[in-house]
Amino acid sequence: MLLIGITGGTGCGKTTVVNQIVQEIPPGEVSVISQDAYYRDLSHLTFEERTKVNFDHPKSLDFDLLREHLSLLKQGKTIMQPTYSFVEHNRTPQVIPIAPCKVIIVEGILIFSHPDLRDLFDIKIFVHADSDERLIRRIKRDTTERGRDIQEVLNRYQTTLKPMHQQFIEPTKEYADIIIPNNRHNKVAIDIVKTIVHNRIQ
């Protein structure tokens, strides 16, 4: 099994990079796991209390469970991945079965911040994008997909997103095997990743 970690700041275009890699891999041979599915269960908090949680801090994530699940997949065992609702700011009762396959891609802004998790990845990729561009994408996504208003997004960006990025995300760039600029010049980097993946799974 080839385990690939893809990280970068919020709105950097990780999903685009993931899709570019996935489309080159035969169906059934790749699964994608999002860090967001592993936010901690906050059912003990009220909705109002959950809205105040700093979800951009590593403590908001159950890295132990994610690491355990990746280890089980490497052992050839199926996992039951949790699911998360950005509208409710909490886990949902549903789980998603994920079976072992040749390539597992894990994407998320904080996956390189946890040393034990980081060491599991065979390939570590950091997607870089301009901060203004990331903010614009975040506003578009959160207002259309996650039920946020613009003021809420801007407030969260100033109070948590930006400082957390500088403290926990940007420094992890040094652990990346490949840094991909998320613009029209990223074709060579993507082609390199595709070549590595093909060589490893064949």
Side-chain angles (χ1 to χ4, degrees):
M1 176 184 292
L2 181 66
L3 196 55
I4 302 174
I6 300 181
T7 194
T10 182
C12 71
K14 294 183 296 297
T15 301
T16 301
V17 172
V18 169
N19 290 338
Q20 288 176 300
I21 297 172
V22 168
Q23 68 186 11
E24 296 295 318
I25 303 173
E29 294 189 354
V30 59
S31 290
V32 178
I33 295 176
S34 173
Q35 157 205 287
D36 296 347
Y38 289 84
Y39 279 118
R40 295 185 183 279
D41 184 2
L42 301 177
S43 300
H44 59 287
L45 300 178
T46 66
F47 177 80
E48 184 178 354
E49 289 172 330
R50 295 199 298 269
T51 63
K52 297 176 182 177
V53 171
N54 181 359
F55 291 100
D56 296 284
H57 192 285
K59 288 183 179 179
S60 67
L61 291 151
D62 191 347
F63 281 123
D64 290 338
L65 179 60
L66 176 54
R67 188 178 186 280
E68 177 187 341
H69 279 184
L70 295 180
S71 297
L72 288 171
L73 286 168
K74 279 196 166 189
Q75 296 170 30
K77 299 176 182 178
T78 297
I79 64 166
M80 293 297 169
Q81 177 195 280
T83 59
Y84 180 82
S85 168
F86 286 97
V87 175
E88 296 297 326
H89 301 281
N90 201 15
R91 279 191 192 174
T92 73
Q94 289 76 33
V95 293
I96 300 174
I98 296 181
C101 54
K102 288 187 176 181
V103 180
I104 299 287
I105 299 175
V106 183
E107 63 89 12
I109 63 174
L110 293 165
I111 59 173
F112 290 178
S113 68
H114 192 284
D116 290 341
L117 178 63
R118 186 173 66 232
D119 290 344
L120 289 179
F121 298 121
D122 301 300
I123 304 173
K124 295 182 286 292
I125 299 171
F126 191 102
V127 182
H128 171 80
D130 176 79
S131 58
D132 290 341
E133 185 177 351
R134 289 192 293 105
L135 174 57
I136 292 170
R137 289 176 182 166
R138 179 71 182 230
I139 291 172
K140 289 180 178 177
R141 183 185 67 188
D142 283 9
T143 55
T144 59
E145 298 177 15
R146 298 182 178 177
R148 314 280 196 265
D149 61 53
I150 292 179
Q151 193 57 52
E152 180 184 359
V153 177
L154 292 176
N155 287 342
R156 185 174 285 270
Y157 180 81
Q158 289 291 341
T159 58
T160 60
L161 284 175
K162 187 175 181 180
M164 293 301 97
H165 178 87
Q166 294 170 338
Q167 183 176 355
F168 295 111
I169 302 170
E170 187 68 22
T172 64
K173 189 181 289 184
E174 68 174 279
Y175 300 112
D177 302 306
I178 299 172
I179 297 174
I180 297 180
N182 187 32
N183 54 35
R184 60 189 176 86
H185 304 295
N186 71 4
K187 187 177 185 305
V188 172
I190 292 292
D191 286 345
I192 290 172
V193 175
K194 290 177 182 177
T195 299
I196 293 171
V197 171
H198 279 296
N199 288 342
R200 293 290 293 270
I201 66 176
Q202 289 178 352

